[in-house]
Amino acid sequence: MSYDTIRLEIADGVARLTLNRPDKLNSFTIQMHGELRQALKQVRQDESVRCLLLSGAGRAFSAGQDLGETGPGERPLDLAQTLDHHYNPLVRSLRDLPFPVVAAVNGVAAGAGANIALACDLVLAGRSARFIQAFSKIGLVPDSGGTWLLPRLVGLQRAMGLCLLGEPLEAEQALAWGLIWKVVDDDALADEASALAARLAALPTVALGLTKRALHDSATHNLDHQLNMERDLQKIAARSEDHAEGVAAFKEKRQPDFKGR
Ligand code: T3D
């Protein structure tokens, strides 16, 4: 399958998905959304994939919606439809993948670009990366899950400041606030992100997929509900080949060789 606005490479258990409109800071167009949908379907159906690595080409991760595509008079501005058809399914797809999704934020991540990055399971950022809830600057409400994720990640006060003021949050501050997993030097980002993705892809994928589901769903559960969920997921994990391999490797005092099954 070939794409114009994204790149997809699958090798060694890792699917590398790159937003690829560097001249427009990888802003999202309808075409890009269509290609992302197709690519995520392909990745989900490919049984060799055990981790997805999402990044942007050039000097940005993504500047959010392509504002050239939404200018008054250029197309009907029914943004509810845009969210229903494009952004919300994208966030749900990333969340629903049964393996870890890593975002490598290589520069600015603004508007929906920031929130799509934050919807990934682990976010690695280059030192010069910035996260901008740019919506208030153009009279919009944060979308792509931002109003749900941000208070949970950084607390209500910081989420409120970020969303109302729309100021850039530097990578180091994002790390200090618990918004992201790790900051690395810009020129080390690609290698560090690849190493993290490769490491995740070599772990017991069934258990990791269930773990990500349990953690994401916990936000809306009470302890009782969560205990029941852990019980149900553990039953599934315990039947995986990788669980048997993990226990056997422990007993035999060797490194496990997980197959992702
Ligand atoms: O359909 C819907 O609208 C609903 C969905 C909404 C979701 C959203 O994401 S709304 C938020 C949209 N995004 C923004 O408001 C961010 C707009 N961009 C910026 O504020 C700045 O570009 C950045 C802070 C991200 C980066 O600034 P800087 O100085 O590093 O770069 P620049 O010079 O502004 O941009 C470089 C080029 O990318 C430039 O093109 P040019 O002049 O060289 O031909 C610029 O126009 C283009 N670009 C940047 N962001 C966008 C964009 N083109 C289209 N859409 C963009 N969002």
Side-chain angles (χ1 to χ4, degrees):
M1 195 89 52
S2 81
Y3 300 105
D4 292 331
T5 64
I6 60 173
R7 287 199 309 261
L8 177 65
E9 295 141 320
I10 299 176
D12 303 324
V14 177
R16 291 158 198 278
L17 184 50
T18 309
L19 306 174
N20 193 24
R21 300 181 67 232
D23 293 351
K24 296 293 173 191
L25 304 189
N26 304 317
S27 51
F28 293 97
T29 57
I30 289 174
Q31 183 187 1
M32 187 191 271
H33 277 294
E35 293 188 353
L36 283 169
R37 261 194 305 279
Q38 187 56 43
L40 288 174
K41 193 170 157 201
Q42 187 183 336
V43 161
R44 192 173 180 126
Q45 285 172 350
D46 186 331
E47 289 182 0
S48 74
V49 177
R50 296 167 65 183
C51 181
L52 173 69
L53 175 55
L54 180 64
S55 64
R59 69 176 178 92
F61 178 79
S62 168
Q65 170 63 33
D66 182 325
L67 297 175
E69 222 184 23
T70 57
E74 293 189 21
R75 70 176 170 89
L77 276 175
D78 184 346
L79 297 195
Q81 269 202 19
T82 307
L83 296 185
D84 264 347
H85 291 165
H86 302 301
Y87 288 97
N88 293 352
L90 174 57
V91 171
R92 290 189 178 109
S93 296
L94 294 169
R95 279 299 169 104
D96 288 348
L97 285 173
F99 42 73
V101 179
V102 175
V105 179
N106 51 300
V108 71
N115 294 337
I116 299 295
L118 298 176
C120 296
D121 301 313
L122 285 173
V123 183
L124 205 60
R127 213 165 292 285
S128 70
R130 294 171 288 155
F131 297 82
I132 313 177
Q133 294 298 316
F135 305 89
S136 65
K137 305 238 169 178
I138 55 168
L140 289 182
V141 174
D143 59 27
S144 305
T147 60
W148 188 88
L149 267 175
L150 286 166
R152 286 172 171 79
L153 288 170
V154 300
L156 185 58
Q157 191 61 198
R158 285 167 172 169
M160 195 68 85
L162 290 173
C163 292
L164 297 184
L165 299 171
E167 286 174 1
L169 183 69
E170 304 296 330
E172 292 284 4
Q173 194 66 54
L175 180 67
W177 284 7
L179 190 73
I180 61 175
W181 170 244
K182 198 172 177 187
V183 176
V184 299
D185 288 338
D186 288 335
D187 56 10
L189 179 66
D191 285 349
E192 290 259 1
S194 291
L196 178 61
R199 187 174 154 200
L200 288 164
L203 290 172
T205 309
V206 174
L208 264 54
L210 298 173
T211 301
K212 97 178 223 183
R213 197 188 330 156
L215 289 171
H216 288 316
D217 288 4
S218 72
T220 50
H221 293 167
N222 60 27
L223 176 61
D224 222 37
H225 190 145
Q226 195 69 13
L227 288 171
N228 288 339
M229 184 182 194
E230 288 175 0
R231 174 204 59 205
D232 295 343
L233 298 182
Q234 200 67 298
K235 186 172 174 173
I236 300 170
R239 286 197 297 246
S240 67
E241 284 178 30
D242 284 342
H243 170 56
E245 165 63 7
V247 174
F250 173 76
K251 289 182 179 165
E252 293 160 19
K253 299 189 188 302
R254 61 172 172 82
Q255 287 301 311
D257 180 14
F258 295 122
K259 302 288 189 212
R261 297 189 293 264

